[in-house]
Amino acid sequence: MRPPTHILVVNGVKVRQPVFVVAAPHSGADLLGRALKRSPGFHMTIGRAPVARVVYAFARRPSIARRDGAPTVIRDVLAEAWHVVPGACSECTAICREAGRVTGGGPCVSAADLIRFGDASPDLLFSSPVLLQAFPDARIIQIVRDGRDVVADMLGDPASLAWFKPHMLTEDSEFPNPFLGVRSAEHRDKWTAMPPAGKGALRWRSAVRLSAALRQELPGEQLLTLRYEDLLDSPGSVSKAVAEFLETKVSTIGMYGASATKPGRWRKALAAADAELVEKVCREELTRLGYL
């Protein structure tokens, strides 16, 4: 049984049913976050550094997230991110600033217009258990994408590749390690010897399994699952589904014309050996999700 909803007030507005967009890396969380950020009354943040530090700390060391004070930590850091003050947007990522159409220091929204808060930070999915403890009434939108395309994009992203270096699994690493997709200490050497494509596939597989667990845990009125490919092919339909789920208006314009990688990129981007390895690691999940 979850604890009662904590009363959080930001800029004089009670935070009710905050919206969190979660996904595997390179699976479109930022695209939907962009649309929500342009929706009336919303203050969506995407990848603010203080939030990212907490998210990665919880993701890499799950034992930290299980401590009594963890919900307070993530609640406080999000409250700070949502606080509307002059110059606040100077700390935001380029993606967040572009989505908010900020050219100076901000803020990107008017405090007087705020109704709803949310966040679409990368890898927020890996901290979802503590996030739901902090905000029991949260609305979660999770996005799934073909893992082969995910890996292809990760291999072209220096930030993603940085997580694949051997030193990421040290002697004091915790297992299972959902963030890196490693189940036990016995698999440490195997992970270290894997090429980046294999490590990316493990991260994707772990993420979609976490998404499946969320579907089992949360009722339909609290969780919406979308496909990345639908965001690109049918933005109007997706916008309508999200609006119905959140019971509010959602910007359709924010979903059109977004810079995104089209489905099927992996066929040209991945070497034959990498494509074979990715399918081997992810075959069960790709089949379950309808990609095979």
Side-chain angles (χ1 to χ4, degrees):
M1 182 176 180
R2 291 200 186 114
T5 302
H6 178 89
I7 298 176
L8 178 64
V9 178
V10 177
N11 280 101
V13 180
K14 288 185 178 180
V15 178
R16 293 190 177 97
Q17 299 182 359
V19 181
F20 298 105
V21 184
V22 302
H26 289 281
S27 292
D30 60 314
L31 298 182
L32 184 55
R34 178 177 181 267
L36 290 173
K37 192 171 181 70
R38 295 188 179 186
S39 300
F42 266 93
H43 187 195
M44 291 290 296
T45 46
I46 308 173
R48 279 178 66 96
V51 176
R53 284 193 289 270
V54 171
V55 166
Y56 288 132
F58 288 165
R60 294 185 61 197
R61 299 191 68 97
S63 63
I64 299 177
R66 290 193 292 269
R67 295 176 183 175
D68 291 342
T72 300
V73 170
I74 200 163
R75 199 161 45 227
D76 288 349
V77 76
L78 283 166
E80 182 181 358
W82 293 331
H83 196 55
V84 179
V85 293
C89 293
S90 61
E91 299 181 6
C92 291
T93 61
I95 291 175
C96 193
R97 288 168 60 83
E98 186 277 330
R101 290 166 287 193
V102 174
T103 56
C108 59
V109 294
S110 169
D113 298 331
L114 288 182
I115 300 173
R116 206 79 174 265
F117 299 87
D119 192 89
S121 293
D123 296 320
L124 195 62
L125 172 65
F126 295 97
S127 297
S128 54
V130 69
L131 189 67
L132 287 166
Q133 291 178 49
F135 301 98
D137 65 337
R139 294 300 182 261
I140 307 293
I141 303 176
Q142 60 181 15
I143 307 173
V144 296
R145 184 189 183 191
D146 188 329
R148 296 164 294 186
D149 281 328
V150 169
V151 173
D153 279 357
M154 291 177 78
L155 293 180
D157 176 17
S160 293
L161 292 175
W163 295 110
F164 299 154
K165 297 184 182 299
H167 70 267
M168 294 306 298
L169 277 185
T170 60
E171 291 300 322
D172 63 347
S173 294
E174 296 180 5
F175 298 96
N177 193 312
F179 185 66
L180 296 178
V182 184
R183 297 178 183 176
S184 70
E186 296 176 358
H187 298 156
R188 181 190 283 112
D189 291 341
K190 185 176 181 180
W191 182 89
T192 300
M194 256 190 166
K199 294 174 180 176
L202 287 174
R203 280 202 70 192
W204 175 84
R205 185 178 70 177
S206 181
V208 295
R209 287 180 175 177
L210 286 173
S211 294
L214 280 177
R215 283 190 65 84
Q216 293 294 321
E217 177 187 355
L218 297 177
E221 63 268 19
Q222 196 170 3
L223 177 73
L224 175 67
T225 302
L226 303 172
R227 290 171 68 105
Y228 171 90
E229 293 79 7
D230 291 338
L231 262 71
L232 303 188
D233 295 339
S234 305
S237 297
V238 170
S239 177
K240 181 179 179 181
V242 173
E244 291 177 353
F245 173 66
L246 298 178
E247 299 180 316
T248 188
K249 293 182 179 180
V250 173
S251 170
T252 302
I253 295 176
M255 291 189 189
Y256 283 98
S259 176
T261 305
K262 299 298 182 182
R265 175 177 180 264
W266 66 273
R267 291 184 174 87
K268 293 183 178 180
L270 294 180
D274 283 344
E276 182 179 357
L277 175 59
V278 170
E279 287 208 24
K280 180 180 179 181
V281 172
C282 301
R283 185 177 303 278
E284 180 181 349
E285 310 306 324
L286 287 168
T287 301
R288 179 178 62 82
L289 294 169
Y291 291 106
L292 285 180

